[in-house]
Amino acid sequence: MAATEVRDPVRAALESVLEEVRSRTSGEVASYIPELARVDPDPLGVALVSVHGIVHEAGDTDAHFTIQSVSKPFVFALAVDALGLDEVLKHVGVEPSGEPFNAISLEPATGRPLNPMINAGAIVMSSLMAGDTADDKFAAIHSGIQKFAGRDLIVDEAVFTSEATTGDRNRALAYLTLAAGTLGAPVDVATTAYFRQCSISVTARDLATMAATLATGGVNPITRERVISENAARWTSAVMTSCGMYDESGSWLLRVGMPAKSGVGGGIAAELPGQFGIGTFSPRLDAKGNSVRGVAMLEAMSARFELHQLQHRGDPLSPIGSLTRDDDETVASLRGEIFFAGAEEVLARLSPLVSDDGCLVLDFADVTRIGDAAARMFRSAPGVAGRRADGGGEKVVVRDPEGLLGH
Ligand code: GLU
């Protein structure tokens, strides 16, 4: 029997936003890097990769382009993963600069570039990668970016050469950070690694997979490989939220509300933590350097599918599944995932039920996951005298067959 084809509704949604923006031809391809001025301005693609590793795509998702600044959050992620946040923050700040990507933007007191999403900060991040030579540092970057994308990626040598021969402003930025004591390598080592990093050739599908790897908390959802720690993924998403869209980051957060990073190659990587990554590609850029049609697609998707990360989503499912009374015992069956607010609800609603002549049983058998903070709240709640399987004598008895509450 022939299988019935079920039309993928996410793909249909991607196709509809793509067709909506197709006729927009405003903006210009980047021209300050001569090789980028030669790219075809017309390709248009969008891909979405869920945290379960399912890929949905529409348009030119196989078209290759250089990653450019979309590499910056991922190299920041590799740096904080390898060196720790404290060490990295000695070299770079995390404040939005409100200035163009190539601005001379160093904190007066510390000499740190304002954030790792502007060129000065990104060059410093590249300089912090392992090894002494540009080849060593680029090898660490390349291998990390390939793990985010889940496949081998090549460098567009023509773009690299073009960028390296015309990149005096970036070298000037590197010299300033060297003089300020924040650059981690000689200028030519740092900038060569950085220029190669920006020249890595990717597709919209690669950017979606890379962003999805941040959305899962650091595990590539397709290869299942852990690329960075959960903390590194969260810190990276935070910096993308505040600084990812050049000097339009504030209005982007207001209108679209997804951590994102764009690049002058025409790509944008965006994510919704815990849900998915999106990659878009369209080379014509607005005056700030963001892809005109990429921004338009992400704006439309955010509005239509309620993707803003600060969207109010209604009351979550109560963790109290049922309450049953049996002689002098009240049994509260808890369920699902319990974090701070769930623990607060359980403890506030159930503590009045603790009385002198009976006991309250908190049954965690149907709880699938509990956050560390929530577990601590339960452990320290007044009256939680023991975590025994049967209870007896205590006012609050915890049934915790899987040992979720820890010690
Ligand atoms: N390689 C580019 C530069 O350093 C990246 C710029 C960008 O994508 O914002 O100028």
Side-chain angles (χ1 to χ4, degrees):
M1 196 172 78
T4 314
E5 198 180 319
V6 180
R7 187 150 161 67
D8 169 4
V10 179
R11 182 184 172 138
L14 297 179
E15 277 169 354
S16 83
V17 290
L18 187 131
E19 290 314 324
E20 244 173 72
V21 306
R22 189 183 287 284
S23 61
R24 295 203 197 181
T25 52
S26 59
E28 302 289 337
V29 300
S31 56
Y32 73 99
I33 299 171
E35 196 62 24
L36 289 187
R38 296 156 39 101
V39 303
D40 176 1
D42 287 328
L44 175 64
V46 57
L48 183 151
V49 174
S50 77
V51 289
H52 308 294
I54 301 168
V55 181
H56 309 268
E57 47 196 336
D60 302 317
T61 50
D62 284 324
H64 281 75
F65 53 96
T66 52
I67 189 168
Q68 299 296 343
S69 285
V70 186
S71 61
K72 291 173 179 172
F74 298 97
V75 175
F76 170 74
L78 296 170
V80 286
D81 194 61
L83 302 172
L85 188 60
D86 290 348
E87 178 59 27
V88 168
L89 291 184
K90 290 180 189 156
H91 296 264
V92 73
V94 285
E95 297 305 330
S97 69
E99 290 183 292
F101 67 97
N102 59 4
I104 299 171
S105 205
L106 305 185
E107 279 177 355
T110 63
R112 299 180 310 171
L114 259 77
N115 69 66
M117 303 294 111
I118 53 174
N119 285 11
I123 294 167
V124 169
M125 291 301 99
S126 309
S127 80
L128 296 182
M129 291 291 114
D132 295 327
T133 65
D135 282 351
D136 294 341
K137 291 190 186 295
F138 179 66
I141 293 167
H142 195 190
S143 130
I145 299 262
Q146 292 186 136
K147 287 181 189 162
F148 276 112
R151 72 179 187 101
D152 291 347
L153 301 170
I154 60 163
V155 170
D156 183 326
E157 295 293 343
V159 172
F160 166 70
T161 306
S162 183
E163 197 160 344
T165 45
T166 58
D168 289 335
R169 187 174 177 100
N170 282 327
R171 276 186 274 270
L173 291 172
Y175 272 111
L176 287 172
T177 60
L178 182 70
T182 50
L183 195 70
V187 165
D188 63 327
V189 169
T191 52
T192 302
Y194 170 77
F195 293 142
R196 287 194 82 69
Q197 157 192 332
C198 291
S199 307
I200 292 174
S201 181
V202 291
T203 65
R205 195 188 309 119
D206 292 326
L207 296 188
T209 310
M210 295 171 72
T213 302
L214 296 175
T216 62
V219 175
N220 182 313
I222 296 174
T223 63
R224 310 259 163 211
E225 182 181 5
R226 176 163 288 286
V227 183
I228 48 164
S229 67
E230 271 194 24
N231 281 340
R234 189 178 70 250
W235 295 326
T236 304
S237 300
V239 175
M240 287 166 79
T241 300
S242 55
C243 313
M245 296 299 281
Y246 301 118
D247 33 342
E248 256 187 344
S249 297
S251 61
W252 175 266
L253 179 56
L254 186 75
R255 294 193 320 270
V256 182
M258 285 187 251
K261 184 72 199 86
S262 59
V264 295
I268 303 178
E271 50 142 345
L272 207 47
Q275 301 195 42
F276 53 74
I278 298 180
T280 65
F281 174 48
S282 171
R284 290 191 197 87
L285 310 178
D286 64 21
K288 311 271 185 182
N290 295 316
S291 160
V292 172
R293 296 191 295 189
V295 166
M297 285 193 288
L298 286 159
E299 273 182 1
M301 287 174 65
S302 175
R304 195 163 324 149
F305 305 112
E306 300 172 347
L307 302 181
H308 197 293
Q309 61 179 323
L310 301 176
Q311 166 91 28
H312 175 64
R313 300 199 189 275
D315 292 341
L317 184 73
S318 171
I320 306 169
S322 67
L323 264 185
T324 49
R325 208 163 160 82
D326 180 13
D327 295 334
D328 57 354
E329 216 181 59
T330 302
V331 178
S333 295
L334 308 181
R335 62 182 173 187
E337 301 196 330
I338 305 183
F339 296 98
F340 172 84
E344 181 272 337
E345 180 186 345
V346 171
L347 292 168
R349 282 184 48 196
L350 299 185
S351 52
L353 302 181
V354 180
S355 64
D356 286 344
D357 54 353
C359 96
L360 172 68
V361 178
L362 294 180
D363 188 347
F364 284 78
D366 291 335
V367 172
T368 49
R369 185 171 167 200
I370 187 158
D372 289 345
R376 276 198 305 278
M377 286 163 76
F378 282 114
R379 289 201 304 265
S380 60
V384 177
R387 286 190 288 285
R388 303 185 349 207
D390 55 348
E394 295 94 354
K395 290 291 166 213
V396 180
V397 175
V398 170
R399 283 192 194 135
D400 180 20
E402 304 291 333
L404 295 174
L405 292 189
H407 304 292

